[in-house]
Structures are given as structure tokens and as C-alpha cells.
Amino acid sequence: MTTKTHTMSKQGAQTIEAQPRFKQRSYEIQQYGQLHAMPLSLPESAIKQNVECLNQLVADSITLYNLYKKHHWQMTGPTFYQLHLLLDEHAEQIEKTIDLLAERVQQLGGVTIAMPHDVAELTKIERPPKGVEDVPAMLSRLVSAHATVIQGVREGIELSDKNKDYTTNDILSSEVLPLQEMQTWFISQHLVDTPFSSMKEEG
């Protein structure tokens, strides 16, 4: 099979139609913060509130995900193997909820936050140092980050219920909140100051 070509000039120069057109750029067809209309039977003001709330949760969840990956890679100490695996498992689970939240923003007619520099500007989670902290500090930082996300999720549940956005409410209450609470429990139990290999003798 031959490639279809056609003449582009009087001199008989030819172009290949299958050639990709690289370095294309465009103006923004929808700016961040703008809504396009969707037939969802919800007031625009309610949709705007829900999109802003969801984008905050996307930013904080992405930050939490990256915090988990940072600590997964930088884990040290006698519980390295167990925590290395646990943190990676939690990160994978959070990644799935990020997708749910981001897609819900788009379903509502909004524009989801996405790029790292934009996420860094929006997140409410404290920025960690570049270097390695000790294990208790890593885990404490994760619990604090979870607390930030959980607060935002609970606010989102109340807001989406008030705005009668039942799909967003269901995502937050049945998918995101239970996972955040469970992961907080798992991580916080590693911070209990209990003997690892010995106990006091009676008498």
C-alpha cells in the first residue's frame, strides 16, 4: 500500500498526509474556574461550589499520594519491608480516588486541577523536606495529611448534600471517606509506643 500524496506548489513539491504535525499549541478553550453547561438539573452556583470543593480535594489527595510515595521510597529501619509495602498499597488506593474526584469535576462541567505546580499552590497539606525524616515523623506527617483530607471530604459531603448533588455526595461518602479513615487507622497504629520484642516480667 502506498502513501497518498498530493501536489502543494507549482514546482510539484509533495507533502505526506500521514506526517504528524508537531509543536501545536492552542489558546485555552475553557479556563480553570470556568464552567460549561451540563444538563444536570443543578443550579450553576451549586455546581461551582462543588467543583471548587472537589478541586481542593484533588489537590490535597495528589499531595497525599506523593507524600506516600516519598516515604515509600525513603523508608528505613527494622520495619522497612512491612512499611515499604503498606505505603505503596495506600498510595495505589488513593490514586483511584483521585481519578474519581477529578472525573467528577469534569462531569460537572468544570476543569480539574492537574499539574504539579498548580497542585502545590492549592494544597493545604504541609510541604515536607526533600531529605529523609525518621520513621515516626514520616508516619505522623501522613496522619496529619489524612486529617486535612478528611476534613475537606466531610465539608464536601455536607456541601454536596445541601446542593442536592447526590452523585458527588455518594463518591465522597462511600468511596473517599471510608478509605481515608481506614488508612488513618492503619498508619496511626504504627505510632503506638509499645514494646516490639519484650515485656515486663510479673512479680
Side-chain angles (χ1 to χ4, degrees), residues 39-153:
L40 302 177
S41 299
L42 289 171
E44 182 178 343
S45 60
I47 293 176
K48 180 176 176 60
Q49 289 177 342
N50 291 355
V51 165
E52 289 176 354
C53 177
L54 287 167
N55 264 327
Q56 184 64 60
L57 288 172
V58 171
D60 291 336
S61 297
I62 290 174
T63 304
L64 177 58
Y65 167 83
N66 284 311
L67 192 60
Y68 263 107
K69 294 301 290 187
K70 177 184 189 296
H71 293 165
H72 161 76
W73 294 320
Q74 297 178 356
M75 183 54 58
T76 60
T79 58
F80 165 81
Y81 182 71
Q82 294 87 343
L83 285 173
H84 181 74
L85 295 180
L86 177 64
L87 300 191
D88 204 35
E89 179 182 348
H90 280 200
E92 290 177 0
Q93 293 168 344
I94 291 169
E95 187 176 24
K96 293 178 181 178
T97 65
I98 292 169
D99 207 44
L100 289 174
L101 295 169
E103 289 183 352
R104 184 57 185 163
V105 170
Q106 298 295 137
Q107 291 166 12
L108 289 170
V111 177
T112 188
I113 198 83
M115 295 304 293
H117 55 276
D118 296 321
V119 168
E121 290 178 357
L122 185 59
T123 186
K124 296 178 180 178
I125 293 175
E126 181 185 9
R127 183 172 181 171
K130 292 181 181 179
V132 180
E133 296 180 288
D134 61 28
V135 175
M138 289 183 184
L139 300 182
S140 294
R141 195 177 287 279
L142 287 170
V143 172
S144 295
H146 273 294
T148 298
V149 175
I150 287 172
Q151 180 179 349
V153 172

Side-chain angles (χ1 to χ4, degrees), residues 149-192:
V149 175
I150 287 172
Q151 180 179 349
V153 172
R154 291 189 179 279
E155 291 172 357
I157 289 172
E158 293 179 3
L159 179 65
S160 57
D161 183 62
K162 174 186 174 184
N163 289 335
K164 299 182 179 181
D165 181 357
Y166 303 122
T167 301
T168 296
N169 188 273
D170 182 62
I171 290 171
L172 296 177
S173 60
S174 66
E175 298 284 348
V176 183
L177 184 59
L179 177 67
Q180 289 288 329
E181 291 180 337
M182 183 192 69
Q183 291 186 343
T184 301
W185 173 48
F186 271 50
I187 298 301
S188 64
Q189 293 310 295
H190 286 84
L191 292 169
V192 175

